[in-house]
Amino acid sequence: YSFFLPVLYIVLKSSMCVSALCVRPSIVAGIQLRPNKISTTKKRVFRDLSCGNLCVGSGRKADLTRRGLTSSLVILQEDLSLAFWITSFASSHIGMSSVRDSLITSCGRWANSSNLVGRGLKLPAYWPGDDVGKSDVFPDSITAGRQIYRFGYTAVSFVTLGSAFASYLSSTALTVPVEISTRDQFLFSGVAAVSFGAAIASLFNPSPLSLVPVFVAEPENDMATTTGVIRRDDSIKLRARGLTKITRHPLILPVLPWGCATSYLAGGRLSEFLLFGGLATYAVAGCAAQDLRVKKKEGSVGTVFSPDSVQNDEVLDDFFRSTSFVPFVAALDGRQSVKEIILEFPLLGFCFGTFIGWFIEKYLLQYLL
């Protein structure tokens, strides 16, 4: 919490100031309101950020113009709600991860006291289990706690991020998006597509810090989990290769450039900076917090290996020493070979991901705009 919230505050304040300085006054983000979308009876709160005056009005555009708010940023009530939910999403994820072990233990005790453990339930054959619980559902209290934790983690994600998106749609329905040039649109679209490409390519070249599984045709050791005709073997991820030689967070870090680019493509309003800029900030803060927990050995992170496996801890430490948080730093300081990165880079996955990402971004913007 102490890391994420100050960073989010600085990013949001900076983005608001940049928008106020760089965008033409006639189309400043969050200023031009849609008259047909504003209720004449529902009161809304607006803050003039340039002079710090708090203005309460009926929401009519004429009233805002009379109060001198047409040349400065405006915060809608929906933007405040969006800021609350995106902060809740990020802080709950980082917070739940920081106390993961205690939550897992508590959930396991609850499952055991509720007689949910050891009932012989199993996952379907097509559903990949993890390296500890295999395909069993609640086989013991620790595994039950881990499985309940994952379910709760996912549920919190849907509630907080879903509420943030709903607040975002409510805010954008009241404001006019900022126009950008064709050149900037092409540039930002390219950045977003390449970000998608890197993230999708990481599914074929995952990091041990992610929950993305690795499957092989034949088992290589006791950590493999059977799923139909293939077997899961997450130990393969502990060897740095391709994308993980560039950064140990190839799945999450691309959210940073994607969030920055989409903030402008989707309208350049305060609501875009809150939603997409907030997700970008969360991506960096979350990855940094994950690294910190690994270095302090505060429980499992990402891939679920056997909790008492000293060997896996040593291999994970070796992975950390040979990789970097910031992309390409390990290659620049000699820990990784640029030639090996090029040879091992998942080019097909990256090209496929970039192609798919271009269309995902296109249809996402069509939906939002």
Side-chain angles (χ1 to χ4, degrees), residues 142-154:
I142 295 298
T143 304
R146 197 178 302 278
Q147 292 170 343
I148 294 173
Y149 169 83
R150 289 176 184 167
F151 176 81
Y153 192 89
T154 304

Side-chain angles (χ1 to χ4, degrees), residues 102-117 138 141-142 144-145 147-149 151:
S102 60
L103 285 177
I104 289 175
T105 301
S106 299
C107 291
R109 290 173 179 171
W110 173 82
N112 194 34
S113 62
S114 302
N115 296 322
L116 300 176
V117 176
F138 298 171
S141 59
I142 295 298
Q147 292 170 343
I148 294 173
Y149 169 83
F151 176 81

Side-chain angles (χ1 to χ4, degrees), residues 75 82 105 140 142 159 165 203 240 263 287 326 341 345 355 369:
I75 296 181
L82 171 57
T105 301
D140 53 69
I142 295 298
V159 171
F165 191 68
L203 301 179
S263 295
C287 290
V326 179
I341 292 176
F345 187 81
F355 177 77
L369 297 175

Side-chain angles (χ1 to χ4, degrees), residues 63-247:
D63 183 58
L64 291 176
T65 304
R66 185 172 63 252
R67 293 175 183 271
L69 296 177
T70 54
S71 61
S72 61
L73 285 173
V74 175
I75 296 181
L76 300 176
Q77 191 175 22
E78 287 77 5
D79 293 332
L80 299 177
S81 176
L82 171 57
F84 169 79
W85 283 115
I86 199 66
T87 304
S88 298
F89 167 77
S91 57
S92 64
H93 272 55
I94 296 176
M96 290 180 67
S97 298
S98 65
V99 293
R100 174 185 298 189
D101 288 344
S102 60
L103 285 177
I104 289 175
T105 301
S106 299
C107 291
R109 290 173 179 171
W110 173 82
N112 194 34
S113 62
S114 302
N115 296 322
L116 300 176
V117 176
R119 288 183 171 270
L121 300 176
K122 291 184 176 293
L123 294 169
Y126 56 82
W127 191 278
D130 59 38
D131 294 322
V132 178
K134 308 297 181 182
S135 60
D136 295 328
V137 178
F138 298 171
D140 53 69
S141 59
I142 295 298
T143 304
R146 197 178 302 278
Q147 292 170 343
I148 294 173
Y149 169 83
R150 289 176 184 167
F151 176 81
Y153 192 89
T154 304
V156 170
S157 300
F158 275 102
V159 171
T160 54
L161 189 58
S163 299
F165 191 68
S167 299
Y168 166 77
L169 293 178
S170 298
S171 176
T172 55
L174 302 173
T175 55
V176 176
V178 175
E179 297 179 1
I180 61 175
S181 65
T182 303
R183 182 195 64 181
D184 290 343
Q185 186 174 10
F186 182 81
L187 173 63
F188 290 134
S189 296
V191 171
V194 170
S195 301
F196 267 111
I200 293 176
S202 72
L203 301 179
F204 305 94
N205 183 181
S207 166
L209 303 180
S210 72
L211 293 175
V212 179
V214 173
F215 296 98
V216 294
E218 297 179 356
E220 295 182 2
N221 54 39
D222 293 337
M223 294 178 63
T225 302
T226 303
T227 305
V229 296
I230 59 175
R231 298 175 70 88
R232 175 173 174 173
D233 189 358
D234 286 346
S235 64
I236 296 177
K237 298 194 292 184
L238 287 167
R239 181 178 65 85
R241 60 189 179 91
L243 284 174
T244 52
K245 287 185 176 181
I246 298 176
T247 174

